[in-house]
Amino acid sequence: MGVGSVTLMVAVLVGTVDAGCVVTKSMCYADPDQGKGRLLGPGDEPNTPMNKEWCAQKCYNMKMSLAGVEYGGQCYCGSKLNRKPTAASGCTMACNEAKTTETCGGSFAIEVFNYTCSGSPVPEPKPAPAPPPPPPPPPPCTSFNEEGCAELFNPCLNTSEPYHAMPFCNPTLGLDVRAADAVSRLTLQEKFANLNNGGSPIKGLGVPAYNWWSEASTGVANEINRRGKATHTTKFAFPITTGMSFNRTLWQKTGAAIGREARAMMNVGTSFSTFWAPVINLAREPRWGRNIETPGEDPYLTGEYAEWFTKGMQESPDAPGYIQASACCKHYVANSMEQTTQKDGESHERQHVDSLVSQQDLIDSYMYPFQACVEKG
């Protein structure tokens, strides 16, 4: 290769390097505006396809010696800063262009830089590709017992089905009339099937199967992760603790907070609407492992707790006359047994335990809290 060819190649390479604009120094400064104007100006507020070289070219065309980029796609030009700068660390936003490894400032943070331009002007950058569309919504639930499925289901809203014209869907009728109509449409088999917590579909009402079992004695415990849509709830003190306060207002406000969170979760499909709470068995057997779930051993105290917790959970001042979240006082009367196995192998569990309680103690003690829950709560 001759000397002339080498000289020509070097000239071509030098021309390529020198063409366009080169950023020589970059600093990140806070640019909060706050009525003082931008740190560097004038500039273009709209967020457009941008990189540092393109901004430098625009400032070069305006015969300004400083350039600055902000918020991924804004360019500012000037010969000096408009005020004393404050160093920042928020210039981490990617430039708004199709292919970039550069940053272009940040939110209220501007990258100010010197530059040199020569040769052919910098081409305008291509815009960044549009973000991918959001994932499709999850398919509707075919059953409330479906994995991760707790969406509200209202057959009265579907005008293409006959249910919306039935009396139980008519909001102008009284609740007793609507409830009687709904019950009349259940078959005997459906009534039996829905005495279990799992439930079964009810064809006459157009509703799928429903899981009645959710826990909420100390906060909604059955958070359901529905396609990444999870909810975290407040956890309150155990009833054995709040029961010691003898404070009806505290019990009501605790129930109200739990009921409100339950309703919110219900509305977004991460919770059911019925809860097995509060626990109002009497804490009279110290070996029972669930004493902490009860308000205490006294029937009157436990009955008052049942009344005010249930009122708080079910009643909301935002919608009087409607149930915020459905409470269910539990467990069976005179239940103080979970499951135990003795050293000799003898085993007991609550479905088959024989609770020997006198008639007087049954009525005066064990039934009283449940009566208060049903009649007053």
Side-chain angles (χ1 to χ4, degrees):
M1 183 182 290
V3 175
S5 299
V6 173
T7 303
L8 178 60
M9 181 177 291
V10 171
V12 171
L13 290 173
V14 170
T16 302
V17 172
D18 290 345
C21 297
V22 177
V23 176
T24 57
K25 186 179 181 182
S26 179
M27 294 292 294
C28 182
Y29 298 119
D31 195 21
D33 191 358
Q34 295 179 339
K36 300 178 181 179
R38 293 299 182 191
L39 183 65
L40 184 67
D44 51 359
E45 289 290 344
N47 201 301
T48 59
M50 186 60 59
N51 56 41
K52 289 188 177 79
E53 291 72 25
W54 173 242
C55 182
Q57 183 68 61
K58 296 174 74 171
C59 296
Y60 177 79
N61 296 342
M62 298 171 63
K63 303 187 185 308
M64 301 288 186
S65 58
L66 290 176
V69 287
E70 188 167 345
Y71 208 66
Q74 298 174 356
C75 176
Y76 296 89
C77 305
S79 295
K80 63 179 183 178
L81 299 179
N82 295 327
R83 60 181 180 274
K84 185 178 179 180
T86 301
S89 59
C91 297
T92 58
M93 193 172 291
C95 295
N96 181 20
E97 65 169 337
K99 294 181 180 180
T100 184
T101 58
E102 289 185 333
T103 57
C104 283
S107 178
F108 297 111
I110 185 171
E111 280 186 83
V112 179
F113 49 88
N114 299 110
Y115 61 87
T116 59
C117 295
S118 64
S120 302
V122 176
E124 183 175 357
K126 295 181 180 180
C141 296
T142 57
S143 167
F144 281 103
N145 297 325
E146 181 183 333
E147 180 67 25
C149 200
E151 278 86 348
L152 289 171
F153 189 91
N154 188 347
C156 303
L157 300 179
N158 188 353
T159 56
S160 65
E161 296 289 341
Y163 310 106
H164 79 281
M166 294 179 179
F168 74 87
C169 283
N170 187 346
T172 65
L173 299 177
L175 292 179
D176 290 344
V177 175
R178 297 173 67 184
D181 178 72
V183 172
S184 71
R185 299 179 187 278
L186 274 69
T187 65
L188 184 60
Q189 289 77 11
E190 289 170 343
K191 292 176 181 178
F192 277 119
N194 281 282
L195 292 175
N196 185 23
N197 62 275
S200 71
I202 302 175
K203 184 177 180 181
L205 302 180
V207 295
Y210 176 77
N211 188 345
W212 296 90
W213 182 7
S214 289
E215 301 283 357
S217 293
T218 58
V220 179
N222 298 72
E223 299 99 337
I224 296 171
N225 189 329
R226 175 66 168 151
R227 297 284 180 90
K229 183 172 59 176
T231 311
H232 301 286
T233 59
T234 307
K235 299 306 176 189
F236 295 88
F238 280 109
I240 197 69
T241 304
T242 51
M244 295 177 188
S245 69
F246 300 96
N247 189 328
R248 296 177 178 87
T249 302
L250 175 63
W251 304 335
Q252 183 179 26
K253 288 187 177 296
T254 301
I258 294 173
R260 190 173 185 84
E261 289 188 0
R263 169 58 65 174
M265 292 175 61
M266 195 190 318
N267 289 344
V268 297
T270 58
S271 173
F272 299 104
S273 59
T274 52
F275 298 89
W276 291 356
V279 177
I280 57 171
N281 294 117
L282 301 181
R284 292 197 168 177
E285 169 52 76
R287 295 172 296 177
W288 186 36
R290 301 183 66 173
N291 281 322
I292 57 174
E293 298 180 43
T294 76
E297 64 178 344
D298 182 75
Y300 179 75
L301 168 69
T302 305
E304 292 295 293
Y305 182 92
E307 174 187 350
W308 291 99
F309 181 95
T310 301
K311 283 181 176 178
M313 186 172 182
Q314 295 196 150
E315 300 172 6
S316 169
D318 297 332
Y322 293 90
I323 294 179
Q324 178 173 248
S326 178
C328 176
C329 291
K330 64 175 185 178
H331 301 78
Y332 295 109
V333 166
N335 173 59
S336 294
M337 169 66 71
E338 195 65 24
Q339 184 169 358
T340 181
T341 301
Q342 306 300 317
K343 290 183 179 181
D344 61 1
E346 182 182 352
S347 181
H348 300 276
E349 40 85 21
R350 61 180 176 174
Q351 279 80 11
H352 300 90
V353 65
D354 186 9
S355 299
L356 301 176
V357 181
S358 69
Q359 188 74 8
Q360 180 177 346
D361 209 16
L362 182 66
I363 296 173
D364 290 349
S365 299
Y366 291 101
M367 282 187 172
Y368 180 83
F370 288 90
Q371 183 179 4
C373 177
V374 173
E375 294 183 352
K376 297 192 289 184

